[in-house]
Amino acid sequence: MEKENVAKDKRRKSRDDNALNAIRQAKQEERTENKNYGKRKQKKQKKKKPSNGLSLPTFKPWKVIVGTLVLGMLGMLYLNHVFATQQLLQEVQQLEREYNQVKRMHDNYRLTYDRMIGPSEIYDNAKQAGFINGGPAEKIITVEK
């Protein structure tokens, strides 16, 4: 094909070939210089010191001292609370032991009392006093005035 036979592109603006080549060449140079072609440009950040992969926030010494004192005070309060709780637990256990001992004594006295006033004891005392069991027929007692 010969160049003369090719129809001219009507969409292209009329420029000289030399001007087009100069523009293309300038764009090509920009592309080679700029590695971020087609990407968003990022703002330049301050260069950081190279680290070993661990970055800790920096604190002023007075903040560290105050923080340590506050943590120490909170620790003391916590330990005080724990010891007071243990003391209360010992007192509660002592009172529980005393309560159980008194309850056993009360149950023992109650059993002895119930045996003293129970029906079998009453029948035995009545027999010793000379009373005679009337049996099932004489269950009703009437008192005359």
Side-chain angles (χ1 to χ4, degrees):
M1 261 194 200
E2 295 180 15
K3 192 168 187 171
E4 296 167 354
N5 293 339
V6 177
K8 190 174 182 183
D9 190 3
K10 294 180 182 178
R11 290 177 289 177
R12 185 179 279 183
K13 294 181 182 177
S14 61
R15 291 185 181 166
D16 295 348
D17 285 338
N18 290 338
L20 283 175
N21 286 337
I23 292 172
R24 286 183 189 150
Q25 200 171 24
K27 284 184 179 180
Q28 186 66 27
E29 288 175 6
E30 282 181 25
R31 287 180 191 159
T32 56
E33 288 176 6
N34 190 359
K35 295 180 183 178
N36 292 331
Y37 178 75
K39 297 180 183 177
R40 290 184 179 175
K41 292 184 179 180
Q42 296 179 354
K43 295 180 180 178
K44 291 185 179 180
Q45 297 178 351
K46 295 180 182 179
K47 291 184 179 179
K48 294 182 179 180
K49 295 179 183 177
S51 63
N52 57 359
L54 181 66
S55 61
L56 296 173
T58 56
F59 293 111
K60 294 183 180 178
W62 69 269
K63 288 183 180 179
V64 173
I65 292 170
V66 169
T68 304
L69 290 175
V70 168
L71 283 176
M73 295 290 276
L74 290 175
M76 293 283 284
L77 286 174
Y78 176 72
L79 288 176
N80 215 4
H81 170 71
V82 167
F83 288 129
T85 303
Q86 287 178 346
Q87 182 66 29
L88 285 174
L89 178 63
Q90 288 177 354
E91 290 177 13
V92 166
Q93 289 174 345
Q94 177 64 28
L95 291 173
E96 190 174 6
R97 281 191 294 271
E98 290 175 8
Y99 170 76
N100 288 334
Q101 184 180 4
V102 169
K103 186 176 179 184
R104 279 194 305 271
M105 288 174 54
H106 175 265
D107 290 342
N108 192 15
Y109 291 143
R110 179 87 176 178
L111 180 64
T112 305
Y113 176 73
D114 286 342
R115 284 183 183 164
M116 288 172 52
I117 64 166
S120 65
E121 198 64 33
I122 292 173
Y123 283 126
D124 290 342
N125 289 340
K127 280 183 186 179
Q128 288 175 359
F131 290 100
I132 300 171
N133 188 1
E138 296 184 16
K139 293 238 178 198
I140 299 174
I141 300 175
T142 57
V143 179
E144 296 179 11
K145 288 187 182 183

